[in-house]
Every structure is written in C-alpha cells, then in structure tokens.
Amino acid sequence: MASQLFDSDSEDELPPGWEERVTTDGKVYYANHETKNTQWKHPITGKKKVVKGDLPFGWEKNITEDGTVFYVDHVNQKTTYTDPRLAFAEEVKDNPMDFRQKFDGSSTALQVLHGRDLTGKFALITGANCGIGFETARSLAIHGATVIMACRNLLAAHEARAKILQEQASAKVEVMHLDLTSLMSVRKIAEEYEEKAWPLHILILNAGVFGAGYTLTEDNLEMTFQVNHLSHFYLTKLLVNTLMKSAPARVVVVSSESHRFSDLKESNMCQEKLSPKVTSFWHMGAYNNSKLCNILFANELNYRLSPHGIVANSVHPGNMMSSSITRYWWFYRLIFTLVRPFTKSMQQGAATTVYCAVAEELNNVGGLYFNNCCQCQPSKQADSKILAVSLWTLSEQILNKKLKLAKPRVKEAL
C-alpha cells in the first residue's frame, strides 16, 4: 500500500504594516511598523518559524560601514535587504508529523534543495546530459551529492559535466555510458557501477523518448517501450543490491500526466500490446502506455523494497516543456516552442524530481505520484495493484526471454 501524506496548504500572508525578518541565528521574528514592536509569533497564526542552512546558491551577504545588512543575488544581479532564506522558513512544530506543502509548480530544484548538504550521497540519473535531467544533476551536484550522469551520448554528457564544474569547481560529477535501447548496455553499466563499489542513495529514472516513429531496438523490441520502461526496470533490478546496501535509498521514476490517456488494462497486458508491430503502432499510444508503466512500476517497486529501506515514487515534471524529448519530429518541436513562454523552465521541471529524491518529509513515504512537488491522485489504472503485478510479471518474462536467463537477477530482493 502507498504511504499517506497529510493534507497541507500554503503559508499565511502577513497583514498590512507587518514585516518578516530573521535574526543572525536563524530565528524568524515579525516587526510591526505602526507600533514599532516586534514579536516571535506570526501576528495571525501565532506560529513560530526558523530558517536553516546557508544562503541559496548564488547569494552573498554584505554589511555596510553603518551596519546595514543587504543581500546580493549574483545569478539575477539583484540586491535586497530581505534575507532570501525567509522564502524557505520552516515552521516550528509541536508535532513533527504535522507539515505543510512547502513548494509548488513555480518552485525550482535549487529552491527545494535550499539549506541541504548532500555530501556523501550518490545519485545516478539517466538522461542527465540535457533538459530536466541536466538540471536535476546540476542541482544535486551543486549541493554536494556525487552525481553519476548515465547517458547514451558521451560527448554531450561530458560537455554537460563541464558546465557544472565551470559553475562549481568542487562539484563531484561522473559520466557513465548507458544506451537504453540495448539491454546489454544496461547490464554493462550496472556491472561497472558495482565494480566501483560506490553506494547508491538516489536512483532517478529520467531518460525517455517521445514522438518517435516505429523503431525496433537491437533487442527486437519497440523503442518507446524499451527506453521508457523495460530498460529502466532492468537497470533497477540489477542495482537493487547496491540500493539495499546503501539504504535508506530512493528511486524516482519520471512519468507524465499522459499516463491518464493510456488504454492499457489487465485484459490486454501482453508483449504485443506494449511492444506492438508496426501495423498497430501509434507513437502517442506507445508513449501514454509507457508513462502508465512508469507509475505501475514505481508503485510495485515500493511495495517490494520499502521493507528494505528503499522507497519509490513517480513524478510528472511539467506539461509540454521545451526539451530535447521533442527531437524526433519537427511538428512537436514547433508546438513545444510556441507554448514555451507558458510552461515551466527546466529548473522548475526538475523540482518535483528533486523533491521526491531528497525531501525529509518523504522519509519512508513511497508508492505515490507527485506533480508540482505535491502528492496528487493518478488515474484509476495507475492505482491498480493487479495491473502493477501483471506488468511486473510480464516485464520479467520479456527480460528472461531476451536475455535467455533461467531466473531474473536479484530475484531474492524483487
């Protein structure tokens, strides 16, 4: 069963004439400009807050000769007298299980990570050389995590790594080759990762294809199905022992709201449906089905591994974001470009993935679907335990057939 989150709402605004400030040791207080008084409690809710950690990335604190404190945002080239950490102030709670939604659709991955030191954490991200995957890798690396960029295009991956190191020379970023159209490539990266003896605390299954024409992989499977689901399924199975040794660990599967348009159900759960012949192939149908598979896989993975300290969740990053996922057809590139001013940035698109990867309030919380950094209800099909088990069984059967294995690897854990 999926773990449940508590209901939440947005932070209360201050009444006119009041200002929120923070002391040097991180305590939030409230100043009334009319009465010239200050107090620790919010003037309406009566709640107390604190801020934690250093200033957000790119910010610097300065003090003038007369003692005036101001803050410089070097990224956006702005100056303010307000401590930017106030945007991430946390409520001092009587009950640690009582928490509110902190972020929404406008939040960025770097905002989600504010105050977090991920030093010692290892995160493997598929498709991390561009778009949402790159911003996910960049954000985690800036905050101290050792990031492994698992990519098909090694040249692009090394260029992406160089951009991160140019921004923060101390960042720990590694590049490994992974071609999701090849099950042997999946097995190779898993074996290489084990040989390095690295831990694995965060596995982010981000890579995907969209709008691709009918293409068979070297494993004689339809490409959208293999890249978006089966190869990620296989990669997770191969790395599960490493995840268990590194527990607590998290798996984040990037899905999409497109899963709601899938026609996949128990009665048609078969290889011919998921990896169809060219005569019955429709690229949008294949994509929708693969995104439903992502959620079903995350849910069942969480069910099987949560007793071992590993939680899995699925996420929707955003609608029609102008990334390289549209590379297969000029028409989609045009449409996505036209709507770009009205959609999320790549940093905003990475926020929900990063939230599910690191949020402290999600410790031991899995089997859920997130959108805009908030739990939301997926489709009825996505919540089906029967469908999730059927997909898992079918995925193992396809793998066993393709790899000619008598038993799936790490079956004892999965």
Side-chain angles (χ1 to χ4, degrees):
M1 293 180 62
S3 304
Q4 295 299 316
L5 291 178
F6 292 87
D7 291 335
S8 60
D9 53 43
S10 60
E11 295 292 337
D12 299 295
E13 294 185 2
L14 290 170
W18 287 83
E19 182 184 356
E20 192 176 43
R21 298 177 179 175
V22 61
T23 63
T24 54
D25 60 351
K27 295 180 180 178
V28 176
Y29 67 98
Y30 302 90
N32 187 327
H33 293 296
E34 294 182 1
T35 64
K36 308 300 181 183
N37 294 325
T38 60
Q39 62 188 55
W40 295 113
K41 294 183 178 181
H42 190 284
I44 295 179
T45 66
K47 296 174 180 177
K48 296 181 180 180
K49 293 182 180 180
V50 294
V51 296
K52 300 178 181 179
D54 299 326
L55 294 173
F57 177 76
W59 284 85
E60 179 185 3
K61 179 180 178 180
N62 290 284
I63 303 177
T64 62
E65 293 182 357
D66 63 359
T68 302
V69 178
F70 66 98
Y71 303 87
V72 179
D73 179 358
H74 292 290
V75 175
N76 299 304
Q77 298 182 340
K78 295 181 180 180
T79 300
T80 178
Y81 293 103
T82 302
D83 189 325
R85 295 179 299 168
L86 281 169
F88 316 103
E90 298 181 7
E91 181 184 329
V92 178
K93 310 178 185 68
D94 296 325
N95 181 355
M97 294 301 293
D98 177 23
F99 57 86
R100 295 182 170 209
Q101 180 184 344
K102 298 178 182 178
F103 308 103
D104 55 26
S106 62
S107 301
T108 67
L110 288 173
Q111 289 173 339
V112 171
L113 287 165
H114 167 69
R116 295 297 303 272
D117 182 2
L118 301 178
T119 300
K121 299 293 185 181
F122 280 69
L124 188 151
I125 308 168
T126 67
N129 61 284
C130 60
I132 296 170
F134 171 74
E135 288 300 333
T136 301
R138 168 178 171 260
S139 300
L140 293 175
I142 284 174
H143 284 265
T146 299
V147 174
I148 298 88
M149 307 174 76
C151 307
R152 178 184 58 82
N153 188 331
L154 286 179
L155 176 61
H158 281 289
E159 290 176 348
R161 176 180 181 272
K163 289 180 182 178
I164 297 174
L165 295 179
Q166 184 178 13
E167 185 174 7
Q168 184 157 309
S170 61
K172 303 178 183 66
V173 185
E174 303 286 341
V175 172
M176 297 184 72
H177 181 257
L178 171 62
D179 183 352
L180 292 168
T181 66
S182 167
L183 294 176
M184 294 311 297
S185 176
V186 175
R187 182 156 198 150
K188 184 177 180 181
I189 190 177
E191 291 174 346
E192 290 176 352
Y193 198 96
E194 288 184 347
E195 289 174 1
K196 294 178 181 295
W198 288 336
L200 182 57
H201 306 99
I202 303 169
L203 174 60
I204 298 176
L205 307 177
N206 165 83
V209 295
F210 166 77
Y214 186 81
T215 304
L216 290 178
T217 66
E218 68 176 50
D219 302 297
N220 202 35
L221 293 167
E222 191 277 315
M223 183 171 67
T224 302
F225 166 67
Q226 180 168 340
V227 170
N228 291 6
H229 167 66
L230 190 66
S231 286
H232 279 138
F233 175 88
Y234 186 39
L235 178 65
T236 307
K237 287 176 66 66
L238 294 176
L239 292 174
V240 72
N241 286 334
T242 304
L243 285 165
M244 290 175 64
K245 293 176 184 177
S246 310
R250 302 189 188 188
V251 179
V252 183
V253 187
V254 178
S255 180
S256 169
E257 280 290 275
S258 295
H259 83 274
R260 300 185 188 278
F261 303 100
S262 170
D263 62 352
L264 196 61
K265 49 192 175 184
E266 187 180 1
S267 62
N268 63 9
M269 178 67 77
C270 61
Q271 182 174 341
E272 291 71 25
K273 176 65 176 178
L274 292 175
S275 182
K277 296 180 179 180
V278 64
T279 53
S280 57
F281 177 79
W282 179 45
H283 69 272
M284 279 304 303
Y287 181 77
N288 297 342
N289 289 340
S290 72
K291 294 294 104 178
L292 176 59
C293 288
N294 292 153
I295 301 178
L296 294 170
F297 167 52
N299 291 350
E300 185 63 16
L301 183 70
N302 182 75
Y303 173 78
R304 297 181 183 223
L305 293 187
S306 55
H308 302 280
I310 303 168
V311 297
N313 288 298
S314 54
V315 305
H316 168 62
N319 294 319
M320 300 184 72
M321 298 175 62
S322 185
S323 68
S324 62
I325 198 171
T326 61
R327 61 187 178 275
Y328 289 102
W329 193 15
W330 67 267
F331 180 72
Y332 284 130
R333 292 197 299 272
L334 174 62
I335 295 298
F336 279 51
T337 300
L338 291 175
V339 302
R340 185 173 185 175
F342 312 102
T343 60
K344 292 182 180 181
S345 67
M346 293 300 119
Q347 255 291 308
Q348 290 171 326
T352 304
T353 299
V354 168
Y355 176 75
C356 288
V358 305
E360 293 179 349
E361 58 266 33
L362 297 186
N363 290 339
N364 303 316
V365 175
L368 301 176
Y369 175 63
F370 287 81
N371 184 6
N372 294 329
C373 297
C374 180
Q375 178 198 355
C376 67
Q377 189 66 33
S379 69
K380 183 178 179 180
Q381 297 147 287
D383 261 345
S384 170
K385 174 66 174 179
I386 296 176
L387 203 58
V389 173
S390 297
L391 173 65
W392 190 286
T393 301
L394 177 61
S395 299
E396 287 194 330
Q397 290 173 349
I398 296 173
L399 281 178
N400 292 341
K401 180 180 179 181
K402 295 298 178 181
L403 300 171
K404 298 180 180 179
L405 297 176
K407 295 182 180 179
R409 193 177 179 186
V410 298
K411 189 175 182 179
E412 67 278 6
L414 293 177

